[in-house]
Amino acid sequence: MIHALRELEKEHLTSQDSRRNYELTNIGKIVALQLENFVRTVNAITQFSKFWLEHDLSGIPEDSLKNIGCLQESTSLDKRAH
């Protein structure tokens, strides 16, 4: 684990305090938030893959597509019908 923490430190994502505890840097916090959004997006796409493959998305604004991860906790009409 120390090797991984050192690699993160080289990328300025973590830092070590005087008590040798590691914490995220400001850059690390931003990256962690973006990573969390990415994971939510992948989960929402995976959960509703049939929907995304079968529907025309051209009417959905790009800003809305960027926030598709917000649908991770939702249910679809297709799921309720079964």
Side-chain angles (χ1 to χ4, degrees):
M1 186 159 37
I2 294 297
H3 176 72
L5 285 168
R6 296 273 189 240
E7 289 297 317
L8 292 170
E9 197 170 22
K10 284 181 190 176
E11 298 297 324
H12 306 288
L13 299 173
T14 62
S15 63
Q16 192 176 32
D17 65 18
S18 59
R19 291 182 281 167
R20 303 181 58 89
N21 294 317
Y22 282 88
E23 62 185 4
L24 291 173
T25 63
N26 290 336
I27 294 171
K29 290 174 186 175
I30 294 168
V31 169
L33 288 171
Q34 293 301 315
L35 184 58
E36 182 181 2
N37 185 49
F38 175 75
V39 170
R40 281 195 313 265
T41 299
V42 170
N43 287 341
I45 292 170
T46 302
Q47 183 179 2
F48 304 116
S49 60
K50 184 177 177 185
F51 174 87
W52 300 118
L53 290 170
E54 295 177 353
H55 288 79
D56 177 15
L57 305 181
S58 63
I60 301 175
E62 190 172 309
D63 285 344
S64 295
L65 289 174
K66 288 179 184 177
N67 294 313
I68 216 77
C70 295
L71 297 174
Q72 176 181 298
E73 301 295 324
S74 66
T75 58
S76 71
L77 294 175
D78 293 338
K79 280 190 159 185
R80 287 187 220 151
H82 292 109

